[in-house]
Amino acid sequence: MKLQRKNRRALALGALAVSGALALTACGSDETGNGNGGDASASAAAGNIKCDDASGQLLADGSSAQKNAVDAWVKQFSPACKVEINYKAGGSGAGVTAFTQGQVPWAGSDSALKPEEVEASKKICSGGQGIDLPMVGGPIAVGYNVPGVDKLVLDSSTIAKIFDSKITNWNDPAIAKLNPDAKLPNLKIQAFHRSDESGTTDNFTKYLIATAEKDFPYEGGKAWQAKGGQSAPQSSGVAAQVKQTAGAIGYFELSYAKDGIKTVAIDTGAAEPVEATVDNATKAIADAKVVGTGNDMALKLNYATKADGAYPMVLVTYEIVCDKGNKAETLPAVKAFLRYAASEDGQKILAENDYAPMPDDIIAKVRTTVESLS
């Protein structure tokens, strides 16, 4: 009996020692992200994320189109590098303004900086200027809520007329002609656009102007200009209105077309109407031209493409940052985060969240530019 008690006691002490060692290891992992006593870079390396001297907090603002992409990046980056990132997603206009006023070290915008915005950025980029780094791509989906209609085809002319209040009912002959097999109801169209300045609006209207100028006689830009319709803030707001309103139609990034929201296939003149998918958007983005100079990588998209399988209504979200003159206290974190976003892993996450990764030749130059930030 005494021997059995001694054996049991020895086993218990051994188990306690093992559990204590495991607890110490776990504590090291919980505190630092690894078991190396506080070396956060070791954890980052294990996850293919290079943190360097990144630390602290980052406040950023801008495009709501890329909000879901940024959230996916932050989920991986923040635990690895111990950097807290607050991306407000107040819209492209708000982001650019916050950046040029020095309120945030980087911003997201679905439209490249205008000349006057570049000039304004020189005041906060000491010895440098703001540049556009294309990081996120994707289709602008036209979502709709028409009871009984599971598939819908529209062309640019019809879309333009709908959003300019020239077509106001779902059984309009122009819609019926494009959808001969659909049972279109006698239902009023509720067209929703963005209430805030938005790069999504800018790209959506650029597509309409490029392909249906006679039906959409506006200059375009981040602010909505067409007649009528209803408005909602940010992409999430437009998507929410479409989801809950019978007869609604609106535009937003594909990643917001969730929970049963159906999307329009576009008749571009190709062999078949083109669906809003990541792969189809990538085909269109690959046809873009770099028109920026120096380290600026602003792109010119071909909205009028008729290539088979190329979805023409696309946007590219730029991360806007100073090429030189970044603040010393935020540069390491900004550089590390953008490095990860542009990395192979960061771009892979985009496709998993209904965004289109940048074409190889474009993202390769983005990676080089990120490393040169100072």
Side-chain angles (χ1 to χ4, degrees), residues 324-344:
K324 299 177 182 179
N326 288 279
K327 293 180 180 179
E329 60 268 29
T330 56
L331 177 59
V334 169
K335 198 168 181 177
F337 180 71
L338 295 182
R339 178 190 294 122
Y340 169 64
S343 71
E344 185 176 342

Side-chain angles (χ1 to χ4, degrees), residues 77-94:
F77 177 82
S78 288
C81 295
K82 305 304 178 188
V83 176
E84 181 182 340
I85 297 178
N86 180 6
Y87 183 73
K88 294 175 63 178
S92 295

